[in-house]
Every structure is written in structure tokens, then in C-alpha cells.
């Protein structure tokens, strides 16, 4: 079992930046060692479905982005710290959502599909005002 805890959300103005973090923990190291997982970020705005934002392979060697955030957001990971990051620059009001991190044991290369993730965090709110 893996527990994921997001942090770093907040209320910012359009054009500002935020960095989200997602820390992994669990009962035993072998279970929550992030090197075993592909990781992703998803977001859900009020009244909308959960959408893919970014994903990264277990090594960090491959990354994937939704078209709406490409060039503005950067996903990265530090396996030694069991932490996933999402650097968000040039934020827009349409980026307002609850952001979730997720871990996939089945897809260590990462995935854009929420159904392929096994563990989810509780989410962190990002609100961007104009």
C-alpha cells in the first residue's frame, strides 16, 4: 500500500507560478519506493471530469504532457526523496482545479490514462484569478 500526499497548492494571480509536491510513504520501503512506479498528475475542475496533466516514467527519462499545459508545466521526480513535483508557470484561470498525483505499478513508463493508476493522493487546490 502506498500513501500519496500532495502539497503546494494555493491562490495565485494569472501569470504566477506554483510548484506542487507529492510525497510517497507506506508501511514498507519496498511498497512505497517510487522507483517502482510510473507517476502522474491529474486535475479536476468543478463540474468536470478528472483530466490528465502530466506523467513521468520511473526513471524520469520520459515525460508526457497534456496539450493545454505543454511548455508551461514541468513534471519531475526525485526517487531518493520519494517525491514527485509539478512546476507550473504562467498560470491561467483555466488551470483552476484540484490537482491529484497518482502512482502506477502497472505502467512504470507512465500513462496518460487515469484507469492505469493504482494509488491516488487526496488532492490539493489550485486557484488562479485574473
Amino acid at each position: 500500500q502506498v500513501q500519496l500526499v500532495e502539497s503546494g497548492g494555493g491562490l495565485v494571480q494569472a501569470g504566477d507560478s506554483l510548484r506542487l509536491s507529492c510525497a510517497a510513504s507506506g508501511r514498507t520501503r519496498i511498497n512505497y519506493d517510487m522507483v517502482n512506479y510510473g507517476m502522474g498528475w491529474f486535475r479536476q475542475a468543478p463540474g468536470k471530469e478528472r483530466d490528465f496533466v502530466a506523467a513521468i516514467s520511473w526513471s524520469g527519462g520520459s515525460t508526457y504532457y497534456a496539450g493545454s499545459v505543454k511548455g508551461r508545466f514541468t513534471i519531475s521526480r526525485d526517487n531518493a526523496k520519494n517525491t514527485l513535483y509539478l512546476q507550473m508557470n504562467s498560470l491561467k484561470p483555466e488551470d483552476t482545479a484540484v490537482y491529484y498525483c497518482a502512482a502506477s505499478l502497472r505502467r512504470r513508463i507512465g500513462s496518460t490514462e487515469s484507469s492505469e493508476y493504482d494509488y491516488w493522493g487526496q488532492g490539493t487546490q489550485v486557484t488562479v484569478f485574473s
Side-chain angles (χ1 to χ4, degrees):
Q1 191 73 13
V2 176
Q3 285 80 48
L4 302 173
V5 179
E6 303 95 335
S7 61
L11 176 66
V12 297
Q13 193 168 15
D16 285 352
S17 299
L18 277 176
R19 188 175 82 155
L20 306 184
S21 298
C22 172
S25 63
R27 291 186 64 184
T28 61
R29 177 85 189 193
I30 193 170
N31 286 339
Y32 69 83
D33 195 338
M34 276 181 54
V35 74
N36 295 316
Y37 300 89
M39 301 294 295
W41 288 99
F42 290 77
R43 67 187 181 186
Q44 187 167 19
K48 296 188 177 181
E49 294 186 351
R50 190 172 297 187
D51 290 332
F52 168 73
V53 175
I56 189 167
S57 64
W58 66 275
S59 66
S62 297
T63 56
Y64 315 87
Y65 295 95
S68 59
V69 306
K70 200 167 188 178
R72 299 188 297 123
F73 291 11
T74 302
I75 188 171
S76 62
R77 64 192 295 161
D78 186 337
N79 287 339
K81 295 182 178 180
N82 279 317
T83 303
L84 176 73
Y85 304 99
L86 185 68
Q87 177 66 43
M88 305 186 295
N89 298 330
S90 302
L91 282 161
K92 304 176 181 179
E94 51 263 43
D95 295 319
T96 295
V98 177
Y99 284 71
Y100 299 89
C101 71
S104 176
L105 188 58
R106 293 169 281 164
R107 295 282 291 178
R108 294 183 70 211
I109 61 171
S111 174
T112 63
E113 299 295 330
S114 60
S115 61
E116 295 191 315
Y117 286 86
D118 304 291
Y119 302 101
W120 292 83
Q122 83 290 346
T124 186
Q125 176 71 46
V126 172
T127 303
V128 185
F129 63 93
S130 56

